[in-house]
Amino acid sequence: MDTRQVCSALLAAEDEASVQNIIKSTPEMPDPRSNWRPLDQRDTNFNVTSNQASDGGKALTELMTNMVDAILMKHALLNGVDPSGKGAPETMYDAVDKLIKPLRGGRLVNLDPKDPWLLEFSQKNLVIGISGAKTKKQGLPCYTFVDNGEGQYPGDFKNTFLSLSAGHKKNIPFVQGQYNMGSSGVLRYCGRHWHKLIISRRYGGDGLWGWTIMRKRPDDSDSLPIADYFVLPDGNIPSFDEDFLYPFRTATGKRYDGVHLNTGTVVKLYDYQIGSRFLSWRGSREALNENLVETILPFRLLDFRQVPATPEAREAAKKRGGDRALGIDARPFNGMEFLLLRSHQEVGLEDEEEDAVGQDQISVGGISHPELGTISIRAIALKRDLPAWLKHSNSRIFHCVNGQVHFKQTRGYLSSTCGLPALKDRVVVIVDASDLAFPVHSEVWKGDREHIAKTIIGELYKEEVTAVIKGSVALQELQHKIAQQELERATKAESNDLFQKLVDLDPSLASLLSNRNPTIRLPSAGGKDGSESGGGDFDGKYSPTFVRLEERYKQHGLELPINRTRPMAARTDVVNDYLNRVDNRGVILIDESIKKKFGIREHLHNGRLVIYLSPIEDQLEVGDKLIFKIGLQDDGMPGPVVTEDVSLFIVAEEKKAKSEKRRNRRKKGAGKGGAEPGKGESTPTHGLPKCILLTHDGREVDGYDVEVWPEDFTETDGGIIEDLGEDGALYKINYDNSYHIKYRSQQRGQVAKDVVTEKYVLGMRILLLGYEQALQSREGLSDSEIAEYVDDFRRMAAQGSASTVLALSENLPKIVDTSSVSIEDE
């Protein structure tokens, strides 16, 4: 068997049918048993290969993570660093800074997208090529992963690439593979036959290239699928000698010289199912966006399917030169956070890549818990117009470990559970769980790395993260700011005169408004220097010069029920991202004996440091008194700044008065002194829901602010309600609804048409007001499973209302009046 020739043929194949033909035509390969071995040396490997990613895009990120691991391992070994020794980097970010390039915390997002190092490094070290089919009609594409990493000797394949449980990286702190996250999850997305080609050569070049092809075992239709890999008759991995390996060919079949390896690894996946929406190069990158917050190191995407279709396009590509002239579309990929904050507009792609839509990075808060470890939470504020990939996604909160997403939460969670509805399309939240205690990972994440396990520790993790997001003053302020912007846009154009007259005539309508009067209670930011009093915009320092307890804690300490969480606040003068920034990150100093007894969450915003303490009940008793200090420090300070002593008293359990809280909520806004709206008090005006109109083309309508239809809107839609939290709601009513347009067209004269429109808009606002009030009055809605579908319910309510509102307003007065009701005199 000519192992080199067979490997080259497999590498050149662009669909699984071609791979099947190569296997059938090679004498040593067709036999279903003799020269094939089960993955992980067991016929029961399906329980692992199937218990991983639920879609092809997520599965690809496992391969990308392994590629980064291989690069970091190679650079450690080249620098004489024992990967599992005391001198090894402690994290992946630390490894990037020490072994590859100083990036101020190992974060790519600190670089400009036009930094030439990003292109140079990725083209030489981390490349993903897309080839084969371009459309669903043609078939499915192939994905080829090329890394210039440590590589493996042929004799080591069995315990590395072909093992599911060896755990050979578990003692290496700076790689993702220590968490046993393999790449076998891609197999079930590789066509019908699970073909995956692996080629590798150990760095240093003192060995041969080894290779194997994987497949789903044929003729096992009556049993669970088994993943096999090919070996020679003597049981060894096929190998050959070659100075350089060229993994790619252009669409015309010529060798592509832009990527070649002397050592490293190539993995090719055939007929890969990533989803019909993601067949284009842009779609392929979008499939990765949601699953990689950060790539740790820069990647290069090469699409070999972009052959110009017309003479004009071919001439333009030829003039442009480079890869485009060869029918290759080359793009950077550095992860979601880089895309949002920096964009992928490298030199030459300024007109082809979207601008960055991230406006600002926000420090949300952090968690230090004896049972969890450390969690850091940050957010990216977004512009009003989202990129297409984010519009099509329902995910807004991304939980990640070393940049790889392990769990996502949705717009509904952010809106209902966290109480931040105005932010559901204006922010992305990143929960960095990289520093969880090592054993905690197996208790928090399920095997697919897409869900959180419903274990005690998994539930604790979710509760702590939710509490930080809900309690973030920075997010609350952003929520209020965006809500006010949206309401101001509507207020400028619309008039509430007709609606106010109707409320005045029918005070019962006012009761629907009582729960929506805008109020917001945010902690005082204090003076611009971080003090408790004073005014002006806060101007934080790079490192703190003081931290002082607020007066109430100095005088009285804090009483903390043993079953509750309570905040403690201090003032300081440091910048908001001090505890989350990647470069010279600050830390909160609390005595270790205290940290073992409490779960701790922290928020730092505009000079106010709030620390939430949650007692660990088996570590404390009622009556305990603890005295400690709180400090702040970073590596740039000669020493820490600390507070005065604070006294903490553990007291008996506190019971929730649920019924009383419900009654207070229902009474809220019922009028001064509890008076019924409309009796003794003027009916509310500032609580009237704002309104704008939606048209299919964005054309103007006199008297109203107008927006163009959302992408999936039709003429049957009635509108949508945009919940802005405590600031109220914005009603967006579809002017181009087919029922409204039909009734307008039946009228003679412009005045009559405008009357129909006013009835339609007014009626829609009243009906939706009633629906919204009923929705808001539901107990426990934010914690229920239906919370995710609240916006869908609102949209259905608007669609139903639009189909009937004009029929009622136009016809009821005609058929129902005093003369139509027979009243007998007594």
Side-chain angles (χ1 to χ4, degrees), residues 408-429:
K408 304 172 193 174
Q409 289 172 297
T410 62
R411 301 165 71 249
Y413 165 82
L414 194 61
S415 177
S416 299
T417 304
C418 297
L420 300 167
L423 300 186
K424 63 178 180 282
D425 289 322
R426 296 297 299 273
V427 76
V428 161
V429 179

Side-chain angles (χ1 to χ4, degrees), residues 588-808:
I588 295 177
L589 302 178
I590 297 177
D591 189 89
E592 286 298 322
S593 64
I594 299 296
K595 292 171 71 173
K596 291 178 181 178
K597 300 177 188 294
F598 297 91
I600 300 173
R601 306 194 310 266
E602 76 262 1
H603 296 275
L604 175 62
H605 184 69
N606 287 1
R608 192 169 194 256
L609 174 65
V610 182
I611 295 175
Y612 290 85
L613 299 170
S614 302
I616 307 297
E617 292 191 34
D618 60 1
Q619 297 290 322
L620 294 161
E621 294 181 357
V622 173
D624 284 351
K625 177 181 178 180
L626 301 97
I627 299 176
F628 59 95
K629 292 180 172 63
I630 299 170
L632 294 173
Q633 188 175 22
D634 60 65
D635 291 340
M637 298 168 61
V641 292
V642 296
T643 66
E644 310 84 342
D645 283 341
V646 58
S647 298
L648 182 63
F649 306 93
I650 303 300
V651 299
E653 291 189 10
E654 182 181 273
K655 295 181 179 180
K656 292 182 179 179
K658 290 185 177 180
S659 58
E660 183 178 347
K661 289 182 179 180
R662 287 196 198 103
R663 288 194 296 271
N664 289 339
R665 283 201 302 269
R666 287 166 182 166
K667 289 178 180 178
K668 187 178 178 181
K672 292 183 179 179
E676 186 180 342
K679 294 184 179 180
E681 299 285 344
S682 61
T683 50
T685 56
H686 65 283
L688 296 177
K690 305 299 181 184
C691 165
I692 65 174
L693 299 185
L694 302 172
T695 59
H696 73 90
D697 54 2
R699 69 186 184 282
E700 294 182 359
V701 177
D702 288 342
Y704 292 94
D705 191 18
V706 173
E707 289 182 5
V708 69
W709 274 0
E711 286 185 6
D712 58 344
F713 245 47
T714 71
E715 66 276 2
T716 63
D717 275 293
I720 51 179
I721 300 173
E722 187 173 320
D723 187 357
L724 302 175
E726 293 187 357
D727 290 273
L730 180 59
Y731 291 8
K732 298 184 176 183
I733 297 171
N734 184 13
Y735 179 89
D736 285 336
N737 174 269
S738 57
Y739 289 93
H740 170 236
I741 297 301
K742 178 181 178 181
Y743 274 95
R744 271 186 66 94
S745 66
Q746 294 171 351
Q747 309 305 311
R748 295 181 179 180
Q750 189 60 41
V751 173
K753 293 179 186 292
D754 290 343
V755 167
V756 166
T757 294
E758 291 300 329
K759 287 181 179 179
Y760 169 70
V761 173
L762 185 58
M764 286 292 292
R765 294 173 74 182
I766 294 168
L767 292 173
L768 294 180
L769 179 65
Y771 171 80
E772 190 66 10
Q773 195 276 339
L775 183 68
Q776 296 296 332
S777 67
R778 280 187 61 93
E779 293 287 346
L781 177 66
S782 63
D783 298 323
S784 69
E785 293 184 358
I786 67 170
E788 179 57 42
Y789 305 101
V790 164
D791 285 341
D792 293 327
F793 295 156
R794 288 177 171 133
R795 185 166 169 180
M796 285 190 291
Q799 183 172 343
S801 298
S803 66
T804 57
V805 64
L806 283 174
L808 292 173

Side-chain angles (χ1 to χ4, degrees), residues 362-365 379 381 414 417-423 427 429 466-484 519-524 601 603-606 608 610 612 724-727:
I362 300 167
S363 176
V364 175
L414 194 61
T417 304
C418 297
L420 300 167
L423 300 186
V427 76
V429 179
T466 298
V468 171
I469 297 174
K470 288 178 70 172
S472 169
V473 176
L475 291 181
Q476 290 172 20
E477 287 190 352
L478 181 62
Q479 153 97 7
H480 182 56
K481 176 183 176 182
I482 290 175
Q484 290 301 311
T519 59
I520 189 161
R521 297 181 178 89
L522 297 176
S524 168
R601 306 194 310 266
H603 296 275
L604 175 62
H605 184 69
N606 287 1
R608 192 169 194 256
V610 182
Y612 290 85
L724 302 175
E726 293 187 357
D727 290 273

Side-chain angles (χ1 to χ4, degrees), residues 222-396:
D222 295 332
S223 63
L224 292 174
I226 300 170
D228 283 339
Y229 65 92
F230 176 72
V231 296
L232 294 172
D234 60 6
N236 291 322
I237 291 292
S239 60
F240 62 92
D241 191 17
E242 187 74 56
D243 288 336
F244 289 97
L245 190 69
Y246 292 83
F248 299 116
R249 293 181 178 274
T250 67
T252 59
K254 295 181 179 179
R255 188 180 78 181
Y256 175 64
D257 294 330
V259 176
H260 57 275
L261 293 178
N262 175 248
T263 62
T265 301
V266 177
V267 176
K268 186 163 186 175
L269 312 176
Y270 302 88
D271 282 13
Y272 195 76
Q273 174 62 38
I274 198 172
S276 57
R277 186 163 70 88
F278 304 120
L279 283 177
S280 67
W281 73 262
R282 189 181 296 275
S284 299
R285 192 169 68 182
E286 288 176 4
L288 300 175
N289 279 335
E290 281 195 51
N291 295 304
L292 282 171
V293 169
E294 302 173 86
T295 56
I296 308 297
L297 291 171
F299 278 76
R300 197 78 181 153
L301 298 183
L302 302 178
D303 190 340
F304 289 84
R305 305 168 301 169
Q306 304 304 318
V307 179
T310 65
E312 293 81 7
R314 286 193 289 272
E315 184 62 29
K318 186 176 180 180
K319 287 182 179 179
R320 185 163 181 172
D323 286 342
R324 287 295 174 88
L326 300 174
I328 303 168
D329 194 348
R331 305 277 174 156
F333 180 72
N334 303 316
M336 177 179 65
E337 188 173 29
F338 194 101
L339 178 63
L340 292 176
L341 288 171
R342 296 285 182 264
S343 87
H344 283 146
Q345 290 183 348
E346 66 182 21
V347 175
L349 293 178
E350 292 87 350
D351 297 333
E352 299 184 29
E353 291 284 353
E354 297 175 325
D355 293 334
V357 298
Q359 293 180 303
D360 193 18
Q361 202 161 20
I362 300 167
S363 176
V364 175
I367 299 165
S368 177
H369 196 286
E371 295 184 80
L372 293 172
T374 302
I375 303 164
S376 176
I377 306 175
R378 61 189 185 271
I380 301 172
L382 305 174
K383 296 177 182 177
R384 200 165 185 274
D385 293 327
L386 298 179
W389 68 269
L390 201 52
K391 283 182 182 178
H392 295 146
S393 170
N394 203 28
S395 300
R396 293 295 181 270

